[in-house]
Amino acid sequence: AIQQLLDGRRIEFCAESRSGELAPIDCAGMWKQRLRWTIGWDETSLKHAGAFTDSGRLRCRARCGLIWTFLIRWAMTALTVGAVYVGLPVTTFRPLDEAHWGRLIT
């Protein structure tokens, strides 16, 4: 679909289309599937990132959608990791009360 958009084609909704997948039967299989998907998203992001911001090849709406889908995903992942690995220890060792955080929590 990305290559079709970059070639100037339009993608439209088709109500009659059907798609499905076979879900993995165990956690190891699901982990491998999600890892494959993540690697595929990252490869596509790196391959086409320059075209996402090139104003001549895509309409503004398509460009914004691709940037949101492929590039903002990395920022959201970094924020999530930061919240877990930085925010959790900070709030664990610094209780959430006014003496430690001042007026931020009141």
Side-chain angles (χ1 to χ4, degrees):
I2 301 301
Q3 193 61 50
Q4 300 299 317
L5 284 172
L6 293 176
D7 288 342
R9 295 186 177 93
R10 290 182 53 123
I11 297 173
E12 296 181 5
F13 176 72
C14 178
E16 294 84 25
S17 67
R18 298 289 181 256
S19 178
E21 67 181 55
L22 295 173
I25 59 173
D26 59 359
C27 287
M30 186 177 347
W31 177 260
K32 289 178 184 178
Q33 179 190 52
R34 299 303 192 252
L35 185 60
R36 280 193 311 273
W37 288 356
T38 300
I39 291 169
W41 280 84
D42 289 346
E43 286 176 352
T44 301
S45 299
L46 292 172
K47 182 177 180 181
H48 297 295
F52 295 169
T53 57
D54 180 17
S55 62
R57 296 182 70 181
L58 294 170
R59 293 186 322 243
C60 181
R61 183 176 177 182
R63 190 170 45 254
C64 289
L66 291 172
I67 289 170
W68 176 261
T69 302
F70 287 95
L71 304 180
I72 299 298
R73 180 175 79 81
W74 286 354
M76 298 303 286
T77 301
L79 288 172
T80 302
V81 168
V84 171
Y85 290 107
V86 175
L88 185 63
V90 166
T91 56
T92 301
F93 297 115
R94 303 280 298 202
L96 291 175
D97 59 13
E98 192 171 348
H100 289 99
W101 295 94
R103 301 195 127 203
L104 289 174
I105 61 169
T106 57

